[in-house]
Amino acid sequence: MKDFGEYDYVIVGGGTAGCLLANRLSTDPEIRVLLLEAGGKDDWIWIHIPVGYLYCIGNPRTDWCYRTEADPGLNGRSILYARGKVLGGSSSINAMLYLRGQRRDYDEWAALTGDSGWNWESVLPVFKQTEDYWKGADDMHGASGEWRVEKQRLRWDILDRYIEAAQQSGIPFTGDYNRGDNFGIGHFEVNQKKGVRWNASKAFLHPVRHRGNLEVVTGALIDKLILAGKEARGVEFSLGGQPCRARARIETVLTAGAIGSPLILQRSGIGPGALLQRHGIPLAHELPGVGANLQDHLQLRMIFKVHGVTTLNQRSRSLWSKAMMGLEYALFRSGPLSMAPSQLGGFFRSSPEVATPDLEFHVQPLSLDKFGDPLHDFAAFTASVCNLRPTSRGHVHLRDRDPASHPRIATQYLSTENDRRVAVRALRLTRQVVAQPALAPYRPEEYLPGAGVQSDADLAMAAGDIGTTIFHPTCTCAMGADADPNAVTDVRLRVRGIGRLRVIDASVMPTITSGNTNSPTLMIAERGAQMVRADRRRP
């Protein structure tokens, strides 16, 4: 076995959190940091052209290409479950949408964990610290950080009319979703820089690669932790088929995400005892919450045919149109090639009894049967809607002891009566928006799930047919209060019962945030880095 030697910190996962953490911990030249990433470098052109997510998701060059277990809530379907397998992680293949969530999300975290350091007033300065906002700094935004946030560089008539229709149905216009209450309809702001994807690797890792105390290794497939009793001392991994090990003098930090981090813990003997016993893994420490509590946003993809207005379905059909789109991007970094997967969004309540928005629109000037399929040959738009605060809970379990094996991901969507009820309301509310006068000139016709689907029972069934992930897995190593038997990490992100080990990524969320999860993960990483450095200075 090749010995990589000893570092002060070994960071496992070069994704969103890992890139920021490597940056922050290596600022001290006396501290040696090793960052291990299973994927490759983020030097492929389609990572950087925004529309390139179409070529990155489902591609083993950049994606783990996971699939879920057959899900009863999806009427027995198994779906693609993309996770970034490249430097920058999922920030290299995601939708690029900058969303923090709501004030209530973080106040709930503080209540659940008993630590006010996770409430909105505490995390807002951390969001601002990393942010480089296109309008400059104000009371809610920062402009001196590395995480670039810009407006999108295109517009569509159909989306402008959708904004009008939403307003006619009682949803106000908003120009900023990130001020604590994201109620409203408006265009998403994106993590791009002059029309090019801005991933965590560009923002945090590439600028510091020259540091002599930071080593970055790609192609490193992590097997398990090196444990000495109840302490982590590093990791074992394979590199080019050769077994290797790297030792950590101070701490090992898992930043492998809501899928990867619990799997590494489970292979190391940390997790539910019965699961580990089934796979012949000696139990090092019983933690029943490892891999449990999986939360994700299920989007219901409603499609409407339209007439007399241009959508991407038409523009992508001819070679001439494709050439013009390519030329526009080459000259101006604008147009359809600069598109995020969703350009228009909205946040609203599923019922008057809900205190803050619990539904999110993602509206697109295009349509297709499922991701990876060609666009339809008719003009149409997609109005996806998702339940921001699902009560369904899934899990992530290892399939076997082989680190190359894909896990068992049981999402268990729509497994509660509450989630089925919210899904029905979401579909009805979307229909209500589309029926407003602003869209009438385009004569929208419901293609999916179809205007004939009317009863609550039929709509709930249809939700299972058209629902798919929006790629926001979280909460599988959730932090919690000392009295919480299912908490995997404490409020300082340390793994309970195992010394010198932390998890710092989306898996530590106690509950999923009310919006896209990439930038909240960066906030967690920034806070985690502060904790790691503070704990090192303590006697």
Side-chain angles (χ1 to χ4, degrees):
M1 178 176 288
K2 181 178 179 180
D3 192 341
F4 267 63
E6 186 175 71
Y7 298 78
D8 293 291
Y9 295 99
V10 175
I11 303 170
V12 179
T16 298
C19 287
L20 184 144
L21 201 66
N23 177 305
R24 302 303 192 240
L25 297 186
S26 64
T27 55
D28 183 344
E30 296 183 0
I31 294 296
R32 296 188 68 218
V33 178
L34 173 64
L35 176 65
L36 298 171
E37 164 56 38
K41 298 178 180 178
D42 61 327
D43 55 2
W44 191 35
I45 188 172
W46 288 116
I47 292 173
H48 308 292
I49 297 175
V51 80
Y53 72 90
L54 292 168
Y55 304 101
C56 292
I57 293 177
N59 185 336
R61 177 172 181 165
T62 49
D63 181 5
W64 283 96
C65 299
Y66 295 141
R67 294 196 68 86
T68 67
E69 300 292 287
D71 194 327
L74 300 184
N75 301 327
R77 290 186 297 131
S78 167
I79 59 173
L80 172 70
Y81 215 68
R83 294 284 83 202
K85 187 183 180 183
V86 62
L87 283 175
S90 293
S91 76
S92 294
I93 67 172
N94 72 355
M96 298 164 281
L97 306 184
Y98 181 70
L99 292 162
R100 297 170 176 171
Q102 299 173 9
R103 174 189 295 269
R104 70 163 301 281
D105 299 332
Y106 303 101
D107 290 347
E108 182 181 34
W109 288 11
L112 289 171
T113 63
D115 185 341
S116 62
W118 289 105
N119 69 15
W120 171 256
E121 297 301 330
S122 298
V123 303
L124 177 58
V126 185
F127 277 112
K128 292 169 65 176
Q129 178 182 339
T130 61
E131 187 182 16
D132 179 16
Y133 191 55
W134 66 278
K135 290 177 70 174
D138 62 19
D139 61 327
M140 287 288 174
H141 290 283
S144 59
E146 302 96 330
W147 196 228
R148 182 64 178 168
V149 181
E150 294 186 350
K151 294 194 300 182
Q152 296 195 58
R153 301 162 71 92
L154 74 165
R155 62 169 296 276
W156 296 85
D157 289 339
I158 187 67
L159 299 186
D160 293 343
R161 289 296 186 93
Y162 198 96
I163 291 175
E164 294 177 32
Q167 291 176 291
Q168 290 169 349
S169 67
I171 304 172
F173 179 80
T174 180
D176 188 351
Y177 286 129
N178 293 297
R179 305 184 74 85
D181 179 356
N182 48 19
F183 180 46
I185 185 83
H187 294 98
F188 287 122
E189 293 170 323
V190 291
N191 295 119
Q192 293 183 9
K193 194 165 189 176
K194 298 180 179 178
V196 177
R197 176 188 290 272
W198 195 245
N199 65 353
S201 182
K202 285 181 189 173
F204 301 101
L205 188 61
H206 291 318
V208 301
R209 286 289 294 267
H210 64 279
R211 291 176 179 169
N213 62 330
L214 172 62
E215 185 172 353
V216 179
V217 178
T218 56
L221 181 62
I222 306 301
D223 183 6
K224 59 185 177 181
L225 296 162
I226 300 170
L227 296 176
K230 295 287 186 175
E231 285 191 343
R233 298 294 179 84
V235 291
E236 295 182 1
F237 60 99
S238 62
L239 185 64
Q242 181 180 11
C244 305
R245 72 173 60 182
R247 289 170 283 121
R249 186 178 67 85
I250 301 177
E251 283 188 333
T252 303
V253 185
L254 300 184
T255 56
I259 306 301
S261 288
L263 292 175
I264 294 168
L265 290 174
Q266 290 170 11
R267 287 197 296 269
S268 305
I270 302 169
L275 171 69
L276 304 183
Q277 185 179 27
R278 286 200 302 271
H279 293 287
I281 297 173
L283 181 65
H285 183 62
E286 174 87 26
L287 270 182
V290 173
N293 196 40
L294 174 64
Q295 299 173 39
D296 188 17
H297 290 141
L298 177 72
Q299 64 170 346
L300 309 179
R301 296 177 58 255
M302 299 188 76
I303 295 173
F304 297 87
K305 293 183 178 181
V306 287
H307 308 272
V309 65
T310 299
T311 69
L312 188 61
N313 291 10
Q314 299 109 294
R315 290 195 65 180
S316 65
R317 260 184 259 160
S318 76
L319 290 175
W320 173 255
S321 292
K322 291 178 180 177
M324 290 299 100
M325 288 190 290
L327 183 62
E328 180 180 1
Y329 186 77
L331 294 176
F332 307 110
R333 294 292 186 266
S334 63
L337 269 67
S338 71
M339 282 173 54
S342 297
Q343 300 78 52
L344 177 66
F347 293 83
F348 60 109
R349 297 173 178 84
S350 63
S351 74
E353 292 76 32
V354 178
T356 64
D358 62 337
L359 297 177
E360 180 180 6
F361 278 132
H362 288 80
V363 190
Q364 306 158 311
L366 56 86
S367 66
L368 67 170
D369 285 333
K370 65 178 186 298
F371 191 88
D373 284 0
L375 298 179
H376 290 139
D377 60 2
F378 48 80
F381 68 90
T382 300
S384 297
V385 60
C386 71
N387 179 357
L388 292 171
R389 295 190 286 276
T391 54
S392 298
R393 299 290 182 263
H395 61 257
V396 178
H397 289 167
L398 49 78
R399 190 173 299 274
D400 54 45
R401 299 177 67 169
D402 185 352
S405 295
H406 283 195
R408 298 187 185 276
I409 303 172
T411 46
Q412 298 181 180
Y413 296 123
L414 301 173
S415 58
T416 67
E417 181 58 35
N418 178 78
D419 286 0
R420 291 189 292 272
R421 182 170 58 251
V422 172
V424 171
R425 291 174 178 170
L427 295 173
R428 292 197 187 282
L429 286 166
T430 306
R431 285 175 171 172
Q432 178 180 314
V433 172
V434 175
Q436 297 303 313
L439 285 167
Y442 302 141
R443 307 194 310 277
E445 303 172 30
E446 186 174 321
Y447 176 75
L448 280 180
V453 181
Q454 288 295 330
S455 71
D456 285 1
D458 287 346
L459 283 169
M461 179 65 69
D465 289 333
I466 65 175
T468 190
T469 180
I470 205 166
F471 306 119
H472 296 164
T474 58
C475 306
T476 52
C477 295
M479 62 175 161
D482 291 342
D484 183 353
N486 293 312
V488 176
T489 49
D490 66 14
V491 294
R492 297 189 68 79
L493 311 182
R494 299 170 296 202
V495 175
R496 293 185 177 278
I498 300 292
R500 303 188 185 187
L501 178 63
R502 296 190 205 233
V503 180
I504 303 179
D505 56 34
S507 70
V508 303
M509 294 182 185
T511 54
I512 193 168
T513 54
S514 301
N516 296 56
T517 53
N518 190 243
S519 290
T521 300
L522 271 180
M523 180 277 294
I524 290 168
E526 190 74 82
R527 284 213 74 210
Q530 294 168 1
M531 293 171 181
V532 170
R533 296 173 71 183
D535 287 352
R536 185 175 75 238
R537 292 192 293 269
R538 292 179 179 176

